[in-house]
Amino acid sequence: MRDKRTVSLHSDSSAGPDGIRFRKTVPYAFGDIVTAGRWTLDTSSLTSYPAHW
């Protein structure tokens, strides 16, 4: 949700009728440190785009 300057982490994938679906979504604010498995991402380094993009 770029208009609110958030980052969403999607996880727990499973097969759905039209492809892969994610069962869990966790929102983070820009600037948060996000850990996903063995990876860590500092979201303050991400580029923010307009909401209509």
Side-chain angles (χ1 to χ4, degrees):
M1 298 176 53
R2 294 177 177 144
D3 60 330
K4 296 182 189 226
R5 297 187 49 84
T6 62
V7 175
S8 294
L9 174 64
H10 302 279
S11 63
D12 296 329
S13 60
S14 65
D18 56 352
I20 297 295
R21 299 278 181 135
F22 295 98
R23 294 179 287 178
K24 185 176 179 183
T25 302
V26 180
Y28 292 90
F30 267 53
D32 286 349
I33 304 294
V34 177
T35 301
R38 61 181 182 196
W39 297 280
T40 301
L41 174 65
D42 179 356
T43 62
S44 65
S45 64
L46 298 176
T47 301
S48 179
Y49 296 95
H52 67 276
W53 221 57

